[in-house]
Amino acid sequence: MSWYSKIYVAVREYRGKHRNIGWILTRCLNILLVTQLIFLWMTLYVYIKVTIGYYVQSHVQATIYLIISSFLFVMSMWSLAKTLFTKVGRVPEKYRPSKELEDRLKAVTPYENNRYVVEKSTPVQLKQQNIILEEMCTFCKVVVAECDQVGRLKYCYECGHIKPDRTRHCSSCGKCCIKYDHHCPWINMCVTHANYKYFLLYIIYTSILVYWYLLTSLEGAVRYFIIQKWKEDLWKILYYLFSFIAGGVFGYYPLGELIIFHYQLISLNETTVEQTKPAVLRFDNAADYNMGKWNNFRAVFGWGVWMWPIESNEQDGLHFDIRYVSTQQRNRFVRIEEEQSSSAPSADSSTH
C-alpha cells in the first residue's frame, strides 16, 4: 500500500466514526489538486501580464502567444474537468452472485483479523473456491479470463462480486474499478477505463502549456537584463523568476515523468498496477493484452478525435482482446459482441 493510500484509508475509517470532522478531512485530500489550479492560474496571469503585456514588443507576436497559450490552457482545464466529473468506472451489478453462492465461498475461505485471507487457503479449499467461482460465473452469465497467481478466478470479498478482467480494488476509495490504473493523489480520484483518456490529455496539454510558457518567457528575461531597469522592473522579474522556476520544476516532475511513464504503459497495453503485478490469464501464462502499439494507443484514445477530451472509446472496460503466446494450448477466449437489447452477456468464451 502506497503512502497516500494509507492516508486515504485512515481518513475513510475516521470519517466512519466521526462524520463531521471526517468530512472536513476528506475535503482536505484535495490539497494537491487545489495547489495545481492555483499554480496554473498564477502562471497564466504572470504570462499575460508580464511576458505578453510588458516584455513582448510586437503586437502580432503578442497575439500569437496569447492565442496559443489560451488554447493550451482551455484544453488543459477542459481535460481536467472531464477527468474529475466523469463517473468512475464501477463493476456492473450483473457480476454480483447470489447470497447463497457468496456464503458458500466465504465458508471455505480463511478469515483472520476481520478480513478474508485467500493466500492462506489449503489446496482443498482453493479447489472448492474455484468450483464455486465457476458456478458464480454461470449464475451471473459472465465470462472472465483473468485469474490470480494460483489459478483461481478473481473475486472481491469486500465488494461482493466477481472481478471482470483488469478490475482492481482501490484501497484508497474502498471500491472496485474496471480497468483500474491507479488512484491519483494529484487529482484525488481513481483513474480508470472511464477517465483514463482525459487524465492523459490533461497531463499532455498541461505539459505543453508549461513548456510553451518556459520557452517564450526567455525573451522577457533577456530583455530585463538588457534594459536593466532594476528598480522599476524588480517586482516583475521576481514574479517572473518564481513562476519560471516553479514551471520548470513542475514540468519535469510530475508532468514530464508521467508522460514518459504512461507512454511506456500504453505501448505495452498495461496499467500502472499491471506493471507491478502483471495480469495472469487462463490457458496461457505468457498471454497479455499487448495487441501492438497502434492498436494499444487506439484502445485508449479511440477514433479520430483523440486530441479532444470527448468520448471516443471503443471498449466497454469489461472485455479485452488477448494476445496468446502458446501455440500448443488450444483453449481460447473469443470476444462475442451481443445486441444491446439482448439479455445475454456481452461476451462469451469458446474453444477451438
Side-chain angles (χ1 to χ4, degrees):
M1 185 181 295
S2 59
W3 62 268
Y4 59 85
S5 292
K6 294 179 180 178
I7 296 175
Y8 281 94
V9 171
V11 170
R12 190 173 70 246
E13 293 177 350
Y14 186 86
R15 186 177 182 179
K17 300 176 182 178
H18 309 278
R19 188 178 183 84
N20 295 330
I21 300 178
W23 184 89
I24 296 174
L25 291 176
T26 303
R27 301 285 81 78
C28 291
L29 295 175
N30 292 307
I31 183 66
L32 290 178
L33 173 61
V34 174
T35 302
Q36 288 177 77
L37 292 174
I38 292 174
F39 166 74
L40 289 173
W41 280 97
M42 184 198 74
T43 299
L44 183 67
Y45 171 79
V46 173
Y47 184 74
I48 294 176
K49 184 76 173 178
V50 181
T51 302
I52 297 178
Y54 185 75
Y55 286 119
V56 176
Q57 304 297 309
S58 170
H59 292 295
V60 176
Q61 184 182 4
T63 302
I64 294 173
Y65 282 9
L66 184 60
I67 291 174
I68 294 177
S69 60
S70 298
F71 171 77
L72 293 173
F73 185 80
V74 169
M75 293 300 290
S76 173
M77 292 296 100
W78 184 8
S79 300
L80 177 60
K82 288 287 288 185
T83 304
L84 295 175
F85 296 109
T86 298
K87 189 176 180 180
V88 174
R90 301 295 184 194
V91 178
E93 278 298 310
K94 75 173 186 176
Y95 284 84
R96 191 177 300 279
S98 65
K99 185 69 167 59
E100 184 264 333
L101 287 172
E102 182 181 11
D103 291 340
R104 283 176 54 197
L105 180 64
K106 291 180 176 180
V108 294
T109 306
Y111 186 78
E112 295 180 1
N113 300 322
N114 297 320
R115 61 186 293 266
Y116 290 93
V117 189
V118 180
E119 296 80 7
K120 294 189 176 182
S121 300
T122 64
V124 174
Q125 288 176 322
L126 287 174
K127 184 177 181 180
Q128 293 174 329
Q129 292 166 16
N130 217 19
I131 292 174
I132 297 172
L133 287 168
E134 293 283 3
E135 292 181 26
M136 287 182 173
C137 289
T138 303
F139 174 85
C140 297
K141 297 180 180 179
V142 298
V143 175
V144 291
E146 281 192 12
C147 58
D148 57 23
Q149 301 297 326
V150 294
R152 198 191 74 123
L153 295 178
K154 300 174 77 172
Y155 178 86
C156 182
Y157 287 87
E158 293 185 53
C159 298
H161 57 61
I162 300 165
K163 286 184 178 180
D165 295 338
R166 312 190 81 172
T167 296
R168 299 290 188 275
H169 185 85
C170 177
S171 57
S172 299
C173 293
K175 297 180 181 178
C176 282
C177 305
I178 60 173
K179 197 185 177 185
Y180 175 73
D181 190 86
H182 69 293
H183 189 101
C184 182
W186 291 96
I187 60 174
N188 187 26
M189 192 174 188
C190 287
V191 178
T192 70
H193 165 78
N195 61 356
Y196 185 51
K197 171 188 174 180
Y198 310 136
F199 172 76
L200 291 176
L201 289 178
Y202 168 62
I203 61 177
I204 289 172
Y205 281 119
T206 305
S207 297
I208 297 174
L209 174 64
V210 171
Y211 300 147
W212 172 259
Y213 163 75
L214 294 175
L215 180 64
T216 55
S217 295
L218 288 173
E219 181 182 355
V222 173
R223 286 185 180 276
Y224 173 78
F225 288 106
I226 291 177
I227 297 173
Q228 292 185 348
K229 294 182 179 179
W230 302 97
K231 293 183 179 179
E232 297 178 18
D233 291 355
L234 183 60
W235 68 272
K236 291 187 181 70
I237 201 64
L238 289 177
Y239 278 120
Y240 211 67
L241 289 174
F242 174 77
S243 58
F244 194 83
I245 294 172
V249 173
F250 195 62
Y252 171 74
Y253 181 85
L255 291 176
E257 290 195 350
L258 278 175
I259 290 179
I260 296 173
F261 177 68
H262 282 280
Y263 172 81
Q264 295 170 341
L265 290 180
I266 298 174
S267 297
L268 300 173
N269 200 353
E270 289 184 340
T271 62
T272 300
V273 294
E274 286 171 352
Q275 189 196 50
T276 56
K277 190 176 181 180
V280 179
L281 296 158
R282 291 195 285 174
F283 311 134
D284 188 351
N285 290 333
D288 56 32
Y289 298 109
N290 187 358
M291 307 306 293
K293 187 175 292 186
W294 168 254
N295 291 324
N296 294 343
F297 273 85
R298 178 163 181 169
V300 173
F301 292 100
W303 53 271
V305 290
W306 61 267
M307 65 176 290
W308 302 94
I310 59 178
E311 178 60 41
S312 60
N313 207 309
E314 300 172 335
Q315 297 182 338
D316 61 0
L318 300 170
H319 311 99
F320 304 92
D321 293 323
I322 299 171
R323 181 180 69 96
Y324 289 97
V325 178
S326 174
T327 57
Q328 298 178 351
Q329 177 55 262
R330 292 181 176 272
N331 292 314
R332 294 290 183 269
F333 279 89
V334 181
R335 288 184 61 187
I336 301 177
E337 299 296 334
E338 300 286 349
E339 295 293 335
Q340 293 292 333
S341 59
S342 174
S343 59
S346 60
D348 202 347
S349 67
S350 63
T351 59
H352 60 82

